[in-house]
Amino acid sequence: MESLRGTSLFFFILLLFMSCNLVQIQAAPKKKPDTKLCFAKSSPCSKKKITCPEQCPTANPTDPKAKVCYVNCISPICQAECKNRKPNCNGPGSACLDPRFIGGDGVVFYFHGMRNEHFTLVSDLNLQINARFIGLRPAGRTRDYTWIQALGLLFHSNTFSLEATPASTWDDQVDHLRFSLNGENLVIPYGHLSFWECPNTRIRVQRTSSKNSVTVNIPELAEILVNVVPVTKQDDKIHNYQIPQNDCFVHLEVQFRFYGLSSKVEGVLGRTYQPDFENPAKPGVAMPVVGGEDKYKTTSLLSADCNSCIFSPVEVFEPKESVEMEYLDCSGASGSGNGIVCRK
């Protein structure tokens, strides 16, 4: 009898324990997805409340690897989507490797430029984006190997620069990013989701990992995803770069998203957003190289004096004709992106 009574008591306690756990699970509140708003007056989604998907319920997740909630304010669909916070080197608007671009038309092309020179990536009425190229030319080669080391942004009457600092060997525990606004150095605290913003210029820089990755946002003009990487020994071996022992050529991987570009936008990358642009890159070629050094070379990182530049720092333009390019993932099944074309 005592044994039966003890057994009954055990099962009663076990049932009570399971019931309490069940109550606790049911009682735990489920966080509601964030609601996003597009504030641009010209946006078809302006002032509409848009709920984030359950797969990415917030724009600021605590997990650095998690996707974020994003609303494409230039799209008439007005739906939130999930996106990565690091550049997609197989997506439109990207510039990675040495350097390999994917234009707004989805076509892959290479633009080598020249080492230690500056070239205009985008030149529009109220936005200019330049790049500083670093590189080397091994003996017997007729062209430089180049990488993008810095970006210079001119918008309205402001200037902003973002640079990858050099290193002899790569250490991902060291931050290799340097920033400046209107000639003044900026300090952006380390740490995932730490940020800096300037109300006067409306520019915002947010770290998307503890070090070496950021998102730069200029409302109604552009969003830039940036990642800092070295030229690895594997890359060196595959491409025979002949990287020296005292320099790992730290450089940028970038992906741009533009808002309201004019139909006359210029630049190595910018021209691919023109409605009637015909890309000279040959589809199917492993490394389709396009020129334009004479048209897009500038005297410095923060100048707009290239032969084809149209940027005007004096006025804030509201272009009557604008190019609204939907953000497409053109990585394809192969993942290489060679010769891919994505058009709406």
Side-chain angles (χ1 to χ4, degrees), residues 296-308:
Y296 301 123
K297 184 179 177 181
T298 67
T299 55
S300 70
L301 186 65
L302 296 171
S303 64
D305 57 358
C306 76
N307 290 333
S308 296

Side-chain angles (χ1 to χ4, degrees), residues 159-320:
T159 61
F160 174 84
S161 68
L162 181 155
E163 304 179 43
T165 58
S168 56
T169 57
W170 176 254
D171 182 354
D172 59 10
Q173 296 303 308
V174 175
D175 189 53
H176 294 273
L177 280 169
R178 183 165 55 213
F179 311 90
S180 73
L181 177 68
N182 296 327
E184 298 291 333
N185 291 333
L186 304 178
V187 176
I188 301 177
Y190 301 147
H192 170 58
L193 298 183
S194 68
F195 69 91
W196 170 93
E197 62 183 350
C198 178
N200 294 335
T201 62
R202 300 181 63 198
I203 188 171
R204 178 185 175 101
V205 182
Q206 182 175 39
R207 291 192 183 270
T208 49
S209 62
S210 177
K211 302 175 182 70
N212 296 314
S213 299
V214 295
T215 295
V216 180
N217 189 280
I218 309 175
E220 300 185 45
L221 286 179
E223 179 187 69
I224 309 171
L225 309 182
V226 180
N227 197 35
V228 184
V229 294
V231 175
T232 65
K233 292 182 179 180
Q234 183 179 6
D235 292 335
D236 187 21
K237 183 177 180 180
I238 292 173
H239 299 284
N240 192 29
Y241 291 136
Q242 300 180 41
I243 298 295
Q245 293 293 326
N246 62 347
D247 194 342
C248 62
F249 284 85
V250 179
H251 61 281
L252 305 177
E253 295 177 333
V254 298
Q255 187 176 24
F256 302 93
R257 187 192 300 264
F258 302 108
Y259 308 107
L261 292 173
S262 76
S263 59
K264 294 180 172 30
V265 60
E266 272 290 355
V268 174
L269 180 64
R271 59 183 170 174
T272 67
Y273 289 83
Q274 296 174 6
D276 56 352
F277 178 70
E278 295 184 7
N279 203 312
K282 297 180 180 179
V285 177
M287 289 188 65
V289 179
V290 301
E293 287 88 346
D294 56 334
K295 296 173 61 177
Y296 301 123
K297 184 179 177 181
T298 67
T299 55
S300 70
L301 186 65
L302 296 171
S303 64
D305 57 358
C306 76
N307 290 333
S308 296
C309 288
I310 66 171
F311 173 75
S312 175
V314 179
E315 298 182 55
V316 178
F317 288 88
E318 294 290 342
K320 293 182 180 179

